[in-house]
Amino acid sequence: MGSFSVKPVKVGICGLGTVGGGTFNVLKRNAEEIARRAGRGIVVAQIAARDTNPKCDTGATPITADVFELVNNPEIDIVIELIGGYTIAKELVLKAIENGKHVVTANKALIAVHGNEIFAKAREKGVIVAFEAAVAGGIPVIKAIREGLAANRINWLAGIINGTGNFILTEMREKGRAFADVLKEAQALGYAEADPTFDVEGIDAAHKLTILASIAFGIPLQFDKAYTEGITQLTSADVNYAEALGYRIKHLGVARRTEAGIELRVHPTLIPADRLIANVNGVMNAVMVNGDAVGSTLYYGAGAGMEPTASAVVADVIDVVRALTTDPQNRVPHLAFQADLLSDHPILPIAECQSAYYLRIQVQDRPGVLAKVATILSERGINIESIMQKEAEEQDGLVPLILLTHRVTEQSMNDAINALEALADVSGPVMRIRVEHLN
Ligand code: HSE
């Protein structure tokens, strides 16, 4: 691996709560990989926080209780604002910009309500304000719309963009739980806003929708014009009736371009149960974006939480560092990592790859065969997850034996299959299909 001749970029983290703690941890844990992507090291030079975070070992990193000390710290190049809310956050972001610092924020309320003013100031000072984490947590949907879909005229977008609300609706539908009870759990899990009415009344979703609509349609941020209806009036009966009709109720944010204007609305919505987005459950978020060239696309992932949100914050920090470091032609390296820092980590031959397996073996229907099959697998350390024997299909005395195994190397499975195929009780080749649970 190459070394970094350029000195590291120094960042300051304001707020050490759920997202701040996650951001510190990800920057520290992935420091080397991040530097290979960014082309420079990234060092947390200071943290501003009133309290420590038990999930975050800040070591020797200097901590101040005064955010403005951090914002005025001449060493710091990038201020990461993770305290939330409108007032102090706005003041510190404007001050950071005034001081010529780049800003990364996860604050959707701040961007939706004061973004126009903040961006004007940033343009004046020639600094970047990045806010990927403000919408749908870890899902890079802002990057997808702003860069990946840049060729398109966006027609509409629709999203489940509040994890707390989606968690409540999912629990009501799946377990028949009461609204208030589920909300308490979401608060305990750290998903809910400081004021949970922001979640259940759709205000948080409207903040995010306002931002998405602006980057999709190229309009100023206009949070005050968003229609917002919450989920507090929904009953389990509605959820069940919708289900009986083949629909799911989701709290959806919809932004649609029409001839007359742009629809900007958050409200409970029935969606046909077989749509992918109708099956986004729990605290997960998903955003569908429809463009004239690409058609419909769907982005799915964790919309809140410590490290998913940190994932978006740190990606923004890397973007800023790349912009500071590399020539404009090569702002994002072709292979995502800096060209001279590509790794020689080897690609595994398939024999060394690991997978779970589905096996279908045609065996003679007689005593002891199953034991022989099981022995061959166990001798190679292959653990059987489940086993199913179907009735004989033909008059040839053969029955299909279906096995699911735990994960093993392909080499072990090749050996086992060779041994199985050599058994007199096994007819023909063993059918092998790899299984990935993707969990
Ligand atoms: N309260 C938000 C949610 C957190 O539940 O989705 C992420 O913005």
Side-chain angles (χ1 to χ4, degrees):
M1 216 197 96
S3 59
F4 302 101
S5 48
V6 216
K7 64 180 174 53
V9 174
K10 295 198 171 160
V11 304
I13 300 179
C14 302
L16 202 61
T18 302
V19 184
T23 298
F24 183 90
N25 289 347
V26 171
L27 279 170
K28 187 168 142 192
R29 189 177 69 236
N30 294 345
E32 188 191 314
E33 190 101 338
I34 287 169
R36 286 177 57 224
R37 291 181 184 273
R40 280 171 81 172
I42 297 173
V43 169
V44 180
Q46 194 173 25
I47 295 167
R50 276 176 309 196
D51 299 309
T52 53
N53 182 335
K55 293 192 179 145
C56 186
D57 174 12
T58 53
T61 310
I63 303 191
T64 170
D66 177 8
V67 279
F68 290 94
E69 188 189 318
L70 185 154
V71 163
N72 291 321
N73 180 344
E75 283 216 322
I76 287 173
D77 308 294
I78 304 171
V79 170
I80 307 176
E81 183 280 301
L82 302 172
I83 61 173
Y86 302 101
T87 43
I88 299 175
K90 181 183 176 197
E91 217 184 307
L92 88 86
V93 163
L94 289 174
K95 187 68 186 161
I97 296 171
E98 181 68 37
N99 290 345
K101 298 184 193 305
H102 303 281
V103 173
V104 172
T105 178
N107 192 331
K108 55 256 161 161
L110 179 71
I111 297 296
V113 176
H114 299 294
N116 298 324
E117 182 186 344
I118 290 168
F119 298 144
K121 185 88 178 166
R123 278 194 301 277
E124 193 188 307
K125 289 286 175 181
V127 297
I128 301 169
V129 176
F131 51 93
E132 179 66 65
V135 180
I139 310 174
V141 65
I142 291 187
K143 190 171 277 283
I145 298 174
R146 201 156 57 181
E147 298 179 31
L149 300 180
N152 289 263
R153 184 178 159 87
I154 306 291
N155 296 316
W156 55 264
L157 59 88
I160 296 171
I161 43 182
N162 181 268
T164 301
N166 202 41
F167 179 61
I168 292 173
L169 292 181
T170 304
E171 291 288 301
M172 284 172 75
R173 185 180 68 79
E174 288 181 355
K175 302 184 188 150
R177 290 176 65 187
F179 185 92
D181 172 39
V182 192
L183 174 58
K184 268 202 204 108
E185 190 179 338
Q187 287 173 292
L189 290 169
Y191 297 124
E193 293 299 298
D195 177 352
T197 59
F198 273 39
D199 295 300
V200 298
E201 296 297 354
I203 299 163
D204 176 74
H207 285 146
K208 296 166 182 167
L209 185 70
T210 299
I211 298 171
L212 288 176
S214 285
I215 59 169
F217 305 128
I219 54 173
L221 295 152
Q222 295 162 81
F223 170 69
D224 53 341
K225 302 211 177 108
Y227 172 79
T228 308
E229 192 181 302
I231 54 171
T232 50
Q233 304 305 314
L234 285 177
T235 64
S236 297
D238 302 314
V239 173
N240 294 339
Y241 292 142
E243 187 86 1
L245 293 165
Y247 291 85
R248 296 269 163 85
I249 302 180
K250 292 293 180 190
H251 202 193
L252 214 62
V254 179
R256 186 193 304 274
R257 189 204 298 260
T258 74
E259 289 237 335
I262 286 161
E263 297 177 4
L264 194 60
R265 47 194 171 86
V266 175
H267 48 68
T269 310
L270 267 74
I271 306 173
D274 59 358
R275 293 278 185 279
L276 276 178
I277 197 167
N279 293 282
V280 171
N281 291 320
V283 291
M284 301 308 275
N285 281 196
V287 183
M288 283 185 82
V289 184
N290 179 281
D292 66 342
V294 72
S296 286
T297 56
L298 177 66
Y299 309 88
Y300 167 86
M306 192 166 186
E307 293 213 353
T309 312
S311 164
V313 171
V314 174
D316 272 351
V317 173
I318 294 171
D319 259 2
V320 175
V321 174
R322 282 171 173 159
L324 296 179
T325 309
T326 54
D327 63 285
Q329 311 280 331
N330 192 23
R331 189 176 68 79
V332 180
H334 299 116
L335 289 178
F337 290 81
Q338 302 292 316
D340 57 344
L341 293 172
L342 294 181
S343 147
D344 55 7
H345 204 49
I347 308 277
L348 288 178
I350 183 72
E352 290 175 33
C353 294
Q354 285 198 7
S355 169
Y357 292 86
Y358 159 104
L359 300 179
R360 180 168 51 76
I361 314 169
Q362 292 290 109
V363 296
Q364 293 295 336
D365 191 8
R366 55 179 174 238
V369 174
L370 188 57
K372 286 186 206 164
V373 168
T375 303
I376 286 176
L377 295 175
S378 79
E379 280 171 355
R380 286 155 186 85
I382 301 172
N383 198 354
I384 298 170
E385 186 178 299
S386 58
I387 196 161
M388 179 170 72
Q389 186 182 315
K390 303 298 284 182
E391 281 168 29
E393 288 161 358
E394 316 280 341
Q395 296 307 314
D396 55 8
L398 290 172
V399 289
L401 187 64
I402 317 286
L403 291 169
L404 285 179
T405 76
H406 286 270
R407 291 173 75 81
V408 287
T409 62
E410 184 92 0
Q411 186 61 61
S412 307
M413 187 50 77
N414 289 343
D415 290 349
I417 289 176
N418 286 338
L420 288 170
E421 287 177 349
L423 284 179
D425 309 288
V426 170
S427 165
V430 172
M431 175 65 171
R432 161 233 317 253
I433 306 178
R434 293 169 196 88
V435 178
E436 292 296 342
H437 295 109
L438 305 179
N439 53 8

